[in-house]
Amino acid sequence: MSVIKKIHKWASLIVGLQVLIWLGSGFYFNLMDHNKAKGTHYLVAQSASVNLDAERLIEPKELLKQKNEISQSEQHKQANTIVAINLSHLLTQPVYLINHNRALYSHFSNHYSIINAYTGEAIVVDAKLAEKLASASYNGPGQVIQVTLLENGNEDFPKEQNAIWRVNYDDALNTSIYIEAGSGRLIGHSNDDKRFADFFFMLHFMDYGKEGSFNNIQILLFAFITLWLSLTGIIWTIQLGFNGQYQIDLFSKKRKVKLLDKNQQIISEITLNDKTNLLDGLTKNNIEIPSVCGGGGTCGSCLILLSSISSISDAEREKLSNAQLKKGYRLSCQQFLADTQTITIIN
């Protein structure tokens, strides 16, 4: 039972701390500016289409034919497998976006090729093109100060699993724009306002591993700890019931008992309720007994000596020696009035 109590205490500490974090982050969500938290202060809406010269467009069937001719080896066939071809555009240039490996979501790992829709030439999203694509979505006062290729994720968009270009601007908000390297897709804008809000989202969803999702191992562990806290609480409650810790005050009786100091000198005579544990009864009579745990039986501080031999709880077996128990030493939080005539205050 002592092991269960220890686990219960630590589990309650972890759950309590996370509840406080939820309260703090939830309070922030009610106060924050939701528009600023999006990080789109300098975002320009992108045009959904461009003017096309239909006569100049290469037929998708021709692209498929060219790809099949190139794919001679089995390795090349796998690399050039085409799942979908979509007509799109980069800036004002019509392109065919060829998807070789379509994942469930765009931020999952995908494999793209970009083909000029007029000439059939391959287009690579390099640093220069990424900067142009980013600037086309930006209307702020800043200038580009850095363009960086990120292949192993990023903190601003942690869900993104593809290689991306980060384009940084020197404006007051430290804006960063992210472009997917494979497709040229605008992933999004981020700035200091969004990063500040993301910190609280991380706390609120327990995303301490910064996976960008609340479906993470921390949530699963917390659910297990909370379940364990509930189960140990039930076990502890049942055990306290068997030990007689729950008394119905409706049928209580009061009786006088003498208090002695450690030298067996009478201090006073007080009236106690036989349905109230001795720690609470003494406290109501302004007799202060040390108790760090507040009556839970885990600290072993509220030591007293009873004139009659009484039952022994699990907490007393753990905290007191056999010699003390034989002499009548008990924990006041674990005992009721019973047949004792005197109570010796040890501390």
Side-chain angles (χ1 to χ4, degrees), residues 156-306:
D156 287 336
F157 293 93
K159 288 184 179 181
E160 189 61 48
Q161 300 177 11
N162 298 285
I164 58 177
W165 288 99
R166 181 178 62 199
V167 183
N168 290 336
Y169 291 79
D170 61 357
D171 55 44
L173 296 177
N174 294 313
T175 299
S176 295
I177 300 177
Y178 294 87
I179 304 294
E180 189 176 59
S183 66
R185 173 176 64 92
L186 173 65
I187 295 172
H189 285 215
S190 183
N191 56 34
D192 288 344
D193 290 334
K194 179 180 180 298
R195 295 180 187 110
F196 188 68
D198 284 347
F199 173 75
F200 285 93
F201 277 109
M202 179 269 292
L203 293 177
H204 197 75
F205 293 113
M206 299 181 67
D207 186 20
Y208 302 124
K210 295 185 177 180
E211 300 174 23
S213 171
F214 64 84
N215 186 21
N216 53 59
I217 186 64
Q218 294 82 236
I219 288 286
L220 297 176
L221 287 175
F222 184 79
F224 175 79
I225 291 172
T226 305
L227 176 61
W228 181 261
L229 179 65
S230 301
L231 293 176
T232 53
I234 292 173
I235 294 172
W236 198 350
T237 300
I238 294 173
Q239 189 262 347
L240 290 173
F242 279 116
N243 287 343
Q245 292 297 305
Y246 303 114
Q247 303 286 338
I248 300 176
D249 197 43
L250 180 64
F251 306 104
S252 65
K253 296 179 181 180
K254 293 183 179 180
R255 184 164 56 82
K256 289 185 177 182
V257 64
K258 293 179 181 179
L259 294 184
L260 307 179
D261 63 18
K262 60 183 178 181
N263 296 317
Q264 297 298 302
Q265 299 298 314
I266 297 177
I267 301 175
S268 63
E269 188 175 64
I270 61 174
T271 301
L272 295 177
N273 189 321
D274 66 348
K275 301 301 182 183
T276 302
N277 69 63
L278 295 182
L279 176 63
D280 291 340
L282 291 170
T283 301
K284 288 179 180 179
N285 283 273
N286 298 316
I287 308 298
E288 298 297 332
I289 303 292
S291 178
V292 178
C293 66
T298 57
C299 68
S301 301
C302 57
L303 189 64
I304 57 173
L305 177 62
L306 302 180

Side-chain angles (χ1 to χ4, degrees), residues 13-75:
L13 175 62
I14 294 172
V15 171
L17 288 175
Q18 184 57 44
V19 169
L20 291 176
I21 291 174
W22 280 337
L23 289 173
S25 56
F27 181 70
Y28 166 75
F29 294 149
N30 281 277
L31 297 178
M32 74 178 186
D33 187 322
H34 293 270
N35 291 321
K36 286 185 177 180
K38 295 177 182 178
T40 56
H41 187 74
Y42 295 126
L43 175 64
V44 177
Q46 299 292 291
S47 174
S49 62
V50 296
N51 294 325
L52 294 176
D53 185 348
E55 295 182 355
R56 295 178 58 196
L57 287 177
I58 298 176
E59 287 291 331
K61 291 182 179 180
E62 185 64 26
L63 287 178
L64 290 172
K65 181 179 178 181
Q66 292 177 10
K67 286 288 183 180
N68 290 331
E69 290 176 353
I70 293 174
S71 303
Q72 297 177 357
S73 68
E74 186 64 28
Q75 183 178 0

Side-chain angles (χ1 to χ4, degrees), residues 47-163:
S47 174
S49 62
V50 296
N51 294 325
L52 294 176
D53 185 348
E55 295 182 355
R56 295 178 58 196
L57 287 177
I58 298 176
E59 287 291 331
K61 291 182 179 180
E62 185 64 26
L63 287 178
L64 290 172
K65 181 179 178 181
Q66 292 177 10
K67 286 288 183 180
N68 290 331
E69 290 176 353
I70 293 174
S71 303
Q72 297 177 357
S73 68
E74 186 64 28
Q75 183 178 0
H76 285 145
K77 287 181 181 180
Q78 293 177 0
N80 287 281
T81 299
I82 296 177
V83 176
I85 299 178
N86 295 298
L87 182 61
S88 183
H89 65 89
L90 292 180
L91 301 175
T92 60
Q93 174 64 55
V95 298
Y96 283 115
L97 185 61
I98 302 176
N99 196 317
H100 303 282
N101 176 33
R102 175 183 286 178
L104 182 60
Y105 299 108
S106 59
H107 60 269
F108 285 2
S109 181
N110 289 279
H111 179 203
Y112 297 102
S113 292
I114 306 173
I115 304 297
N116 187 310
Y118 291 151
T119 66
E121 296 178 352
I123 298 175
V124 177
V125 181
D126 55 13
K128 186 176 180 180
L129 179 54
E131 180 178 339
K132 289 181 179 179
L133 292 170
S135 297
S137 70
Y138 177 79
N139 67 351
Q143 300 294 321
V144 175
I145 56 174
Q146 187 180 38
V147 181
T148 308
L149 179 63
L150 305 176
E151 296 183 348
N152 298 313
N154 67 98
E155 293 186 355
D156 287 336
F157 293 93
K159 288 184 179 181
E160 189 61 48
Q161 300 177 11
N162 298 285

